[in-house]
């Protein structure tokens, strides 16, 4: 699935428009007016929802970063519904904000509203998740993780963990929100790596929508039809934590009878990892606030931000989780 990024020329043209805009909207006084005072900037942020510990940490970090920068942040929670995010973006356009930022709940269906923002001369920044658009003039920058790489890191751990096993390794995959970039890409990266050996078999794969309740429900159902599963690959910690509840309810020991590999490394996931109920977690940092503020300030100054900014992140085994927990920010 091709994800494209803005050509620098188009980005530059959009930035010049903003630098002259009096608060976004349709007044384009050209770049002669220079940047607006930071305390007059207004940014509209359309958040996915509050579905997971990761999302809550992401929201908290972004709100704190804009408060510290003295930049007004208008915030909306779409409750994981694309139509609500589109409504919020349209509202920000109407209000004539200076920059719109959002984390697209799913990859497709954004061209119309992003073209409306472009027509209004309001630059758009993607945070966290990507859109799958053929039109590379619709956003200035995309700040977030490489989810394919995260899936590969999870797969690498599984291949290493079972390198001496000659028996089949049966895997249940708990997918994130259907159509969301992290769900699509984490599945792709993981599948690419475990394809190296046909002893690995994904016997079932189903969405738990990135929620703890979803992870528990799906795991309960899939354990009934796959009682001999060896490992669960969860696209996020919240679904892994739900799977732990289901595994324990089935009288089995998570991390031992059924191993679990997950993504995010939020505090509750790291605690389960330290407790031996999860075996490995690939970090996905939600701390995007400061970098998003920097992108907004660059836009305001008529500079061209990087079109793709990949967040830095690592991985944790059980021992590393014990050591890292005391200092975890989220
Ligand atoms: C990843 C983010 C995902 C997290 C989930 O960047 O979009 O959404 O992995 C969250 O926990 O719900």
């Amino acid at each position: 699935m091709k994800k494209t990024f803005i050509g620098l020329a188009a980005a530059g043209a959009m930035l010049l428009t903003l630098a002259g805009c009096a608060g976004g909207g349709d007044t384009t006084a050209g770049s002669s007016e220079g940047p607006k005072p930071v305390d007059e900037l207004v940014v509209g942020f359309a958040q996915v929802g509050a579905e997971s510990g990761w999302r809550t940490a992401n929201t908290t970090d972004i709100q704190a970063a804009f408060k510290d920068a003295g930049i007004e942040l208008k915030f909306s929670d779409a409750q994981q519904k694309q139509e609500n995010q589109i409504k919020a973006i349209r509202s920000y356009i109407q209000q004539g904000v200076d920059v719109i930022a959002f984390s697209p709940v799913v990859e497709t269906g954004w061209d119309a509203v992003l073209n409306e923002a472009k027509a209004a001369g309001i630059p758009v920044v993607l945070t966290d998740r990507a859109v799958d658009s053929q039109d590379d003039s619709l956003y200035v920058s995309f700040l977030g993780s490489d989810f394919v790489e995260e899936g590969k890191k999870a797969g690498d751990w599984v291949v290493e963990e079972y390198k001496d096993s000659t028996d089949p390794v049966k895997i249940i995959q708990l997918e994130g929100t259907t159509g969301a970039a992290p769900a699509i890409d984490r599945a792709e990266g993981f599948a690419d790596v475990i394809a190296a050996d046909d002893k690995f078999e994904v016997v079932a794969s189903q969405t738990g929508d990135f929620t703890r309740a979803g992870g528990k429900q799906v795991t309960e159902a899939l354990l009934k039809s796959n009682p001999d599963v060896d490992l669960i690959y969860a696209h996020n910690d919240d679904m892994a934590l739900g799977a732990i509840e289901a595994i324990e309810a089935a009288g089995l020991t998570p991390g031992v009878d059924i191993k679990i590999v997950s993504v995010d490394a939020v505090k509750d996931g790291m605690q389960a990892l330290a407790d031996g109920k999860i075996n490995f977690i690939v970090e996905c940092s939600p701390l995007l606030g400061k970098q998003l503020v920097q992108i907004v300030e660059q836009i305001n100054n008529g500079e061209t931000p990087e079109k793709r900014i990949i967040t830095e992140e690592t991985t944790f085994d059980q021992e590393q989780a014990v050591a890292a927990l005391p200092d975890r920010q989220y």
Side-chain angles (χ1 to χ4, degrees), residues 51-52 54-55 128-129 147 182 186 210 235-236 238 264 284:
E51 74 280 2
S52 62
W54 189 99
R55 188 64 55 197
D128 171 27
R129 299 182 184 179
F147 302 129
R186 286 173 184 164
F210 282 132
H235 288 180
N236 83 328
D238 289 72
D264 276 352
C284 174

PDB file of all heavy atoms in Angstrom, residues 51-52 54-55 128-129 147 182 186 210 235-236 238 264 284, ligand 1:
ATOM      1  N   GLU A  51      -8.556   5.096  23.341  1.00  0.00           N
ATOM      2  CA  GLU A  51      -8.732   3.636  23.299  1.00  0.00           C
ATOM      3  C   GLU A  51      -7.694   2.848  24.074  1.00  0.00           C
ATOM      4  O   GLU A  51      -7.911   1.664  24.363  1.00  0.00           O
ATOM      5  CB  GLU A  51      -8.770   3.178  21.828  1.00  0.00           C
ATOM      6  CG  GLU A  51      -7.433   3.187  21.109  1.00  0.00           C
ATOM      7  CD  GLU A  51      -6.994   4.559  20.629  1.00  0.00           C
ATOM      8  OE1 GLU A  51      -7.691   5.565  20.874  1.00  0.00           O
ATOM      9  OE2 GLU A  51      -5.906   4.617  19.991  1.00  0.00           O
ATOM     10  N   SER A  52      -6.551   3.486  24.362  1.00  0.00           N
ATOM     11  CA  SER A  52      -5.466   2.693  24.958  1.00  0.00           C
ATOM     12  C   SER A  52      -4.592   3.569  25.853  1.00  0.00           C
ATOM     13  O   SER A  52      -4.634   4.810  25.765  1.00  0.00           O
ATOM     14  CB  SER A  52      -4.601   2.102  23.837  1.00  0.00           C
ATOM     15  OG  SER A  52      -4.004   3.168  23.083  1.00  0.00           O
ATOM     16  N   TRP A  54      -1.539   3.958  25.446  1.00  0.00           N
ATOM     17  CA  TRP A  54      -0.663   4.697  24.525  1.00  0.00           C
ATOM     18  C   TRP A  54      -1.340   6.000  24.119  1.00  0.00           C
ATOM     19  O   TRP A  54      -0.738   7.065  24.141  1.00  0.00           O
ATOM     20  CB  TRP A  54      -0.390   3.852  23.266  1.00  0.00           C
ATOM     21  CG  TRP A  54       0.658   4.405  22.364  1.00  0.00           C
ATOM     22  CD1 TRP A  54       1.968   4.019  22.305  1.00  0.00           C
ATOM     23  CD2 TRP A  54       0.506   5.457  21.402  1.00  0.00           C
ATOM     24  NE1 TRP A  54       2.647   4.773  21.364  1.00  0.00           N
ATOM     25  CE2 TRP A  54       1.768   5.653  20.787  1.00  0.00           C
ATOM     26  CE3 TRP A  54      -0.551   6.262  20.979  1.00  0.00           C
ATOM     27  CZ2 TRP A  54       1.983   6.609  19.786  1.00  0.00           C
ATOM     28  CZ3 TRP A  54      -0.348   7.217  19.987  1.00  0.00           C
ATOM     29  CH2 TRP A  54       0.907   7.373  19.402  1.00  0.00           C
ATOM     30  N   ARG A  55      -2.616   5.940  23.751  1.00  0.00           N
ATOM     31  CA  ARG A  55      -3.328   7.131  23.257  1.00  0.00           C
ATOM     32  C   ARG A  55      -3.435   8.178  24.354  1.00  0.00           C
ATOM     33  O   ARG A  55      -3.229   9.368  24.104  1.00  0.00           O
ATOM     34  CB  ARG A  55      -4.713   6.719  22.776  1.00  0.00           C
ATOM     35  CG  ARG A  55      -5.470   7.805  22.062  1.00  0.00           C
ATOM     36  CD  ARG A  55      -4.834   8.245  20.788  1.00  0.00           C
ATOM     37  NE  ARG A  55      -4.606   7.113  19.888  1.00  0.00           N
ATOM     38  CZ  ARG A  55      -3.776   7.161  18.839  1.00  0.00           C
ATOM     39  NH1 ARG A  55      -3.114   8.264  18.597  1.00  0.00           N
ATOM     40  NH2 ARG A  55      -3.602   6.122  18.072  1.00  0.00           N
ATOM     41  N   ASP A 128       1.762  10.313  14.403  1.00  0.00           N
ATOM     42  CA  ASP A 128       1.478   8.930  14.799  1.00  0.00           C
ATOM     43  C   ASP A 128       1.136   8.046  13.602  1.00  0.00           C
ATOM     44  O   ASP A 128       1.907   7.146  13.255  1.00  0.00           O
ATOM     45  CB  ASP A 128       0.352   8.898  15.848  1.00  0.00           C
ATOM     46  CG  ASP A 128      -0.146   7.509  16.157  1.00  0.00           C
ATOM     47  OD1 ASP A 128       0.654   6.567  15.989  1.00  0.00           O
ATOM     48  OD2 ASP A 128      -1.318   7.358  16.527  1.00  0.00           O
ATOM     49  N   ARG A 129       0.029   8.241  12.961  1.00  0.00           N
ATOM     50  CA  ARG A 129      -0.397   7.333  11.890  1.00  0.00           C
ATOM     51  C   ARG A 129      -0.389   8.054  10.533  1.00  0.00           C
ATOM     52  O   ARG A 129      -0.552   9.270  10.490  1.00  0.00           O
ATOM     53  CB  ARG A 129      -1.809   6.790  12.158  1.00  0.00           C
ATOM     54  CG  ARG A 129      -1.909   5.980  13.446  1.00  0.00           C
ATOM     55  CD  ARG A 129      -3.306   5.416  13.639  1.00  0.00           C
ATOM     56  NE  ARG A 129      -3.428   4.707  14.922  1.00  0.00           N
ATOM     57  CZ  ARG A 129      -4.550   4.138  15.352  1.00  0.00           C
ATOM     58  NH1 ARG A 129      -5.670   4.204  14.625  1.00  0.00           N
ATOM     59  NH2 ARG A 129      -4.596   3.513  16.530  1.00  0.00           N
ATOM     60  N   PHE A 147       6.003   1.491  11.683  1.00  0.00           N
ATOM     61  CA  PHE A 147       5.264   0.343  12.215  1.00  0.00           C
ATOM     62  C   PHE A 147       5.701  -0.971  11.572  1.00  0.00           C
ATOM     63  O   PHE A 147       5.646  -2.031  12.199  1.00  0.00           O
ATOM     64  CB  PHE A 147       3.754   0.536  12.016  1.00  0.00           C
ATOM     65  CG  PHE A 147       3.198   1.784  12.645  1.00  0.00           C
ATOM     66  CD1 PHE A 147       2.414   2.669  11.919  1.00  0.00           C
ATOM     67  CD2 PHE A 147       3.460   2.079  13.977  1.00  0.00           C
ATOM     68  CE1 PHE A 147       1.885   3.816  12.511  1.00  0.00           C
ATOM     69  CE2 PHE A 147       2.955   3.220  14.568  1.00  0.00           C
ATOM     70  CZ  PHE A 147       2.162   4.082  13.833  1.00  0.00           C
ATOM     71  N   PRO A 182      -0.901   1.355  11.858  1.00  0.00           N
ATOM     72  CA  PRO A 182      -0.143   0.445  12.731  1.00  0.00           C
ATOM     73  C   PRO A 182      -0.606  -1.003  12.635  1.00  0.00           C
ATOM     74  O   PRO A 182       0.217  -1.925  12.724  1.00  0.00           O
ATOM     75  CB  PRO A 182      -0.347   1.006  14.135  1.00  0.00           C
ATOM     76  CG  PRO A 182      -1.509   1.914  14.045  1.00  0.00           C
ATOM     77  CD  PRO A 182      -1.540   2.427  12.647  1.00  0.00           C
ATOM     78  N   ARG A 186       2.231  -3.391  11.184  1.00  0.00           N
ATOM     79  CA  ARG A 186       2.805  -4.318  12.161  1.00  0.00           C
ATOM     80  C   ARG A 186       2.559  -5.772  11.722  1.00  0.00           C
ATOM     81  O   ARG A 186       3.397  -6.650  11.936  1.00  0.00           O
ATOM     82  CB  ARG A 186       2.209  -4.072  13.559  1.00  0.00           C
ATOM     83  CG  ARG A 186       2.762  -2.803  14.198  1.00  0.00           C
ATOM     84  CD  ARG A 186       2.073  -2.426  15.495  1.00  0.00           C
ATOM     85  NE  ARG A 186       2.602  -1.149  15.967  1.00  0.00           N
ATOM     86  CZ  ARG A 186       2.021  -0.383  16.887  1.00  0.00           C
ATOM     87  NH1 ARG A 186       0.888  -0.780  17.461  1.00  0.00           N
ATOM     88  NH2 ARG A 186       2.540   0.764  17.259  1.00  0.00           N
ATOM     89  N   PHE A 210      -7.381  -2.444  19.305  1.00  0.00           N
ATOM     90  CA  PHE A 210      -6.406  -1.771  20.178  1.00  0.00           C
ATOM     91  C   PHE A 210      -6.893  -1.607  21.621  1.00  0.00           C
ATOM     92  O   PHE A 210      -6.300  -0.832  22.390  1.00  0.00           O
ATOM     93  CB  PHE A 210      -5.998  -0.395  19.627  1.00  0.00           C
ATOM     94  CG  PHE A 210      -5.006  -0.449  18.490  1.00  0.00           C
ATOM     95  CD1 PHE A 210      -5.227   0.289  17.322  1.00  0.00           C
ATOM     96  CD2 PHE A 210      -3.845  -1.211  18.580  1.00  0.00           C
ATOM     97  CE1 PHE A 210      -4.314   0.265  16.262  1.00  0.00           C
ATOM     98  CE2 PHE A 210      -2.932  -1.240  17.525  1.00  0.00           C
ATOM     99  CZ  PHE A 210      -3.170  -0.509  16.376  1.00  0.00           C
ATOM    100  N   HIS A 235      -0.842  -6.446  18.639  1.00  0.00           N
ATOM    101  CA  HIS A 235      -0.396  -5.181  18.042  1.00  0.00           C
ATOM    102  C   HIS A 235      -0.292  -4.056  19.078  1.00  0.00           C
ATOM    103  O   HIS A 235       0.181  -2.964  18.726  1.00  0.00           O
ATOM    104  CB  HIS A 235      -1.326  -4.748  16.912  1.00  0.00           C
ATOM    105  CG  HIS A 235      -1.191  -5.599  15.685  1.00  0.00           C
ATOM    106  ND1 HIS A 235      -1.944  -5.375  14.544  1.00  0.00           N
ATOM    107  CD2 HIS A 235      -0.419  -6.670  15.407  1.00  0.00           C
ATOM    108  CE1 HIS A 235      -1.619  -6.266  13.620  1.00  0.00           C
ATOM    109  NE2 HIS A 235      -0.708  -7.067  14.115  1.00  0.00           N
ATOM    110  N   ASN A 236      -0.798  -4.241  20.270  1.00  0.00           N
ATOM    111  CA  ASN A 236      -0.514  -3.261  21.326  1.00  0.00           C
ATOM    112  C   ASN A 236      -0.679  -3.867  22.711  1.00  0.00           C
ATOM    113  O   ASN A 236      -1.277  -4.944  22.873  1.00  0.00           O
ATOM    114  CB  ASN A 236      -1.374  -1.986  21.153  1.00  0.00           C
ATOM    115  CG  ASN A 236      -2.768  -2.114  21.732  1.00  0.00           C
ATOM    116  OD1 ASN A 236      -3.354  -3.195  21.733  1.00  0.00           O
ATOM    117  ND2 ASN A 236      -3.298  -1.002  22.227  1.00  0.00           N
ATOM    118  N   ASP A 238      -2.440  -2.971  25.280  1.00  0.00           N
ATOM    119  CA  ASP A 238      -3.788  -3.073  25.864  1.00  0.00           C
ATOM    120  C   ASP A 238      -4.450  -4.398  25.462  1.00  0.00           C
ATOM    121  O   ASP A 238      -5.052  -5.086  26.289  1.00  0.00           O
ATOM    122  CB  ASP A 238      -4.644  -1.879  25.430  1.00  0.00           C
ATOM    123  CG  ASP A 238      -4.176  -0.606  26.124  1.00  0.00           C
ATOM    124  OD1 ASP A 238      -3.095  -0.116  25.763  1.00  0.00           O
ATOM    125  OD2 ASP A 238      -4.861  -0.147  27.046  1.00  0.00           O
ATOM    126  N   ASP A 264       4.209  -1.310  22.134  1.00  0.00           N
ATOM    127  CA  ASP A 264       3.914  -0.045  22.813  1.00  0.00           C
ATOM    128  C   ASP A 264       4.905   0.210  23.933  1.00  0.00           C
ATOM    129  O   ASP A 264       5.603   1.211  23.913  1.00  0.00           O
ATOM    130  CB  ASP A 264       2.483   0.069  23.378  1.00  0.00           C
ATOM    131  CG  ASP A 264       1.472   0.537  22.334  1.00  0.00           C
ATOM    132  OD1 ASP A 264       1.880   0.917  21.226  1.00  0.00           O
ATOM    133  OD2 ASP A 264       0.258   0.514  22.651  1.00  0.00           O
ATOM    134  N   CYS A 284       6.851   1.682  21.207  1.00  0.00           N
ATOM    135  CA  CYS A 284       6.290   2.643  20.241  1.00  0.00           C
ATOM    136  C   CYS A 284       6.031   3.911  21.042  1.00  0.00           C
ATOM    137  O   CYS A 284       5.098   3.970  21.834  1.00  0.00           O
ATOM    138  CB  CYS A 284       4.996   2.102  19.643  1.00  0.00           C
ATOM    139  SG  CYS A 284       4.174   3.303  18.573  1.00  0.00           S
TER     140      CYS A 284
HETATM  141  C1  LIG B   1       0.737   3.556  17.360  1.00  0.00           C
HETATM  142  C2  LIG B   1      -0.663   3.990  17.765  1.00  0.00           C
HETATM  143  C3  LIG B   1      -1.416   2.800  18.259  1.00  0.00           C
HETATM  144  C4  LIG B   1      -0.829   2.194  19.522  1.00  0.00           C
HETATM  145  C5  LIG B   1      -2.068   1.762  20.219  1.00  0.00           C
HETATM  146  O1  LIG B   1       1.480   4.652  17.002  1.00  0.00           O
HETATM  147  O2  LIG B   1      -1.346   4.543  16.665  1.00  0.00           O
HETATM  148  O3  LIG B   1      -2.737   3.233  18.586  1.00  0.00           O
HETATM  149  O4  LIG B   1       0.068   1.146  19.283  1.00  0.00           O
HETATM  150  C6  LIG B   1      -2.961   2.957  19.978  1.00  0.00           C
HETATM  151  O5  LIG B   1      -1.916   1.468  21.592  1.00  0.00           O
HETATM  152  O6  LIG B   1      -4.276   2.685  20.273  1.00  0.00           O
END
